[in-house]
Short mmCIF file of all heavy atoms in Angstrom, two decimals:
data_model
loop_
_atom_site.label_atom_id
_atom_site.label_comp_id
_atom_site.label_asym_id
_atom_site.label_seq_id
_atom_site.Cartn_x
_atom_site.Cartn_y
_atom_site.Cartn_z
N GLN B 156 141.13 27.21 91.67
CA GLN B 156 141.19 27.82 92.99
C GLN B 156 140.81 26.79 94.07
O GLN B 156 141.49 26.70 95.12
CB GLN B 156 140.30 29.05 93.09
CG GLN B 156 140.74 30.20 92.17
CD GLN B 156 142.14 30.69 92.53
OE1 GLN B 156 142.43 30.97 93.69
NE2 GLN B 156 142.98 30.84 91.53
N GLY B 157 139.75 26.08 93.83
CA GLY B 157 139.31 25.08 94.80
C GLY B 157 140.36 24.00 95.01
O GLY B 157 140.58 23.55 96.15
N ALA B 158 141.02 23.62 93.95
CA ALA B 158 142.05 22.56 94.04
C ALA B 158 143.21 23.08 94.90
O ALA B 158 143.79 22.33 95.67
CB ALA B 158 142.52 22.16 92.66
N LEU B 159 143.51 24.39 94.78
CA LEU B 159 144.60 24.93 95.61
C LEU B 159 144.21 24.96 97.09
O LEU B 159 145.02 24.62 97.96
CB LEU B 159 144.95 26.34 95.13
CG LEU B 159 145.60 26.44 93.73
CD1 LEU B 159 145.68 27.89 93.27
CD2 LEU B 159 147.01 25.81 93.78
N VAL B 160 142.99 25.35 97.35
CA VAL B 160 142.49 25.35 98.74
C VAL B 160 142.51 23.95 99.33
O VAL B 160 143.08 23.70 100.42
CB VAL B 160 141.07 25.94 98.85
CG1 VAL B 160 140.53 25.82 100.28
CG2 VAL B 160 141.05 27.38 98.35
N ALA B 161 141.94 23.01 98.60
CA ALA B 161 141.85 21.63 99.09
C ALA B 161 143.20 20.99 99.27
O ALA B 161 143.47 20.27 100.22
CB ALA B 161 140.97 20.80 98.15
N ALA B 162 144.14 21.28 98.34
CA ALA B 162 145.48 20.71 98.43
C ALA B 162 146.15 21.19 99.71
O ALA B 162 146.84 20.40 100.40
CB ALA B 162 146.30 21.05 97.20
N ARG B 163 146.02 22.47 100.01
CA ARG B 163 146.59 23.04 101.23
C ARG B 163 145.90 22.49 102.47
O ARG B 163 146.54 22.11 103.47
CB ARG B 163 146.45 24.56 101.25
CG ARG B 163 147.42 25.33 100.38
CD ARG B 163 148.70 25.68 101.08
NE ARG B 163 148.48 26.52 102.25
CZ ARG B 163 149.46 26.90 103.03
NH1 ARG B 163 150.72 26.58 102.74
NH2 ARG B 163 149.24 27.63 104.13
N ALA B 164 144.60 22.45 102.41
CA ALA B 164 143.81 22.04 103.60
C ALA B 164 144.11 20.58 103.93
O ALA B 164 144.26 20.24 105.11
CB ALA B 164 142.32 22.21 103.33
N LEU B 165 144.17 19.75 102.92
CA LEU B 165 144.39 18.32 103.16
C LEU B 165 145.87 17.98 103.19
O LEU B 165 146.25 16.82 103.33
CB LEU B 165 143.68 17.50 102.11
CG LEU B 165 142.12 17.52 102.21
CD1 LEU B 165 141.48 17.04 100.95
CD2 LEU B 165 141.68 16.72 103.41
N ASP B 166 146.72 18.98 103.00
CA ASP B 166 148.14 18.82 102.98
C ASP B 166 148.53 17.74 101.97
O ASP B 166 149.32 16.86 102.28
CB ASP B 166 148.66 18.47 104.39
CG ASP B 166 150.12 18.75 104.56
OD1 ASP B 166 150.66 19.52 103.73
OD2 ASP B 166 150.75 18.22 105.49
N ASP B 167 147.89 17.85 100.80
CA ASP B 167 148.07 16.82 99.75
C ASP B 167 148.25 17.53 98.38
O ASP B 167 147.33 17.66 97.65
CB ASP B 167 146.83 15.93 99.74
CG ASP B 167 146.88 14.90 98.60
OD1 ASP B 167 147.95 14.69 98.04
OD2 ASP B 167 145.82 14.30 98.34
N PRO B 168 149.45 18.02 98.16
CA PRO B 168 149.72 18.78 96.92
C PRO B 168 149.30 18.00 95.66
O PRO B 168 148.88 18.61 94.68
CB PRO B 168 151.25 18.99 96.95
CG PRO B 168 151.62 18.89 98.40
CD PRO B 168 150.67 17.89 98.98
N ALA B 169 149.42 16.68 95.70
CA ALA B 169 149.07 15.87 94.51
C ALA B 169 147.62 16.01 94.13
O ALA B 169 147.23 15.79 92.96
CB ALA B 169 149.43 14.42 94.75
N LEU B 170 146.79 16.40 95.10
CA LEU B 170 145.36 16.64 94.81
C LEU B 170 145.26 17.65 93.67
O LEU B 170 144.36 17.50 92.81
CB LEU B 170 144.67 17.14 96.05
CG LEU B 170 143.14 17.35 96.06
CD1 LEU B 170 142.61 17.26 97.46
CD2 LEU B 170 142.74 18.68 95.41
N PHE B 171 146.11 18.63 93.68
CA PHE B 171 146.06 19.71 92.64
C PHE B 171 146.19 19.10 91.24
O PHE B 171 145.42 19.37 90.34
CB PHE B 171 147.10 20.74 92.89
CG PHE B 171 147.07 21.94 91.98
CD1 PHE B 171 145.98 22.78 91.97
CD2 PHE B 171 148.10 22.20 91.12
CE1 PHE B 171 145.88 23.86 91.14
CE2 PHE B 171 148.06 23.31 90.26
CZ PHE B 171 146.97 24.13 90.28
N GLY B 172 147.18 18.26 91.07
CA GLY B 172 147.39 17.62 89.79
C GLY B 172 146.24 16.72 89.34
O GLY B 172 145.87 16.72 88.19
N ARG B 173 145.65 16.02 90.30
CA ARG B 173 144.49 15.17 90.01
C ARG B 173 143.35 16.00 89.49
O ARG B 173 142.67 15.61 88.54
CB ARG B 173 144.06 14.41 91.26
CG ARG B 173 144.92 13.25 91.68
CD ARG B 173 144.19 12.29 92.61
NE ARG B 173 143.82 12.86 93.87
CZ ARG B 173 144.59 12.95 94.94
NH1 ARG B 173 145.84 12.51 94.90
NH2 ARG B 173 144.13 13.47 96.08
N ARG B 174 143.07 17.12 90.15
CA ARG B 174 141.91 17.93 89.71
C ARG B 174 142.22 18.62 88.36
O ARG B 174 141.35 18.67 87.52
CB ARG B 174 141.59 19.00 90.74
CG ARG B 174 141.27 18.54 92.12
CD ARG B 174 139.97 17.77 92.35
NE ARG B 174 139.31 17.12 91.30
CZ ARG B 174 139.15 15.79 91.16
NH1 ARG B 174 139.66 14.95 92.05
NH2 ARG B 174 138.49 15.30 90.16
N LEU B 175 143.46 19.04 88.14
CA LEU B 175 143.78 19.62 86.80
C LEU B 175 143.57 18.60 85.74
O LEU B 175 142.97 18.85 84.69
CB LEU B 175 145.24 20.10 86.81
CG LEU B 175 145.60 21.42 87.46
CD1 LEU B 175 147.06 21.78 87.13
CD2 LEU B 175 144.70 22.54 87.08
N ALA B 176 144.05 17.38 85.97
CA ALA B 176 143.94 16.31 84.98
C ALA B 176 142.47 16.02 84.68
O ALA B 176 142.07 15.81 83.51
CB ALA B 176 144.66 15.07 85.47
N ALA B 177 141.64 15.96 85.76
CA ALA B 177 140.22 15.65 85.56
C ALA B 177 139.54 16.72 84.76
O ALA B 177 138.74 16.44 83.86
CB ALA B 177 139.57 15.46 86.89
#
Side-chain angles (χ1 to χ4, degrees):
Chain B
Q156 295 299 311
L159 291 170
V160 175
R163 284 271 301 178
L165 291 165
D166 201 17
D167 176 14
L170 186 156
F171 185 64
R173 285 199 297 275
R174 303 290 21 114
L175 282 189

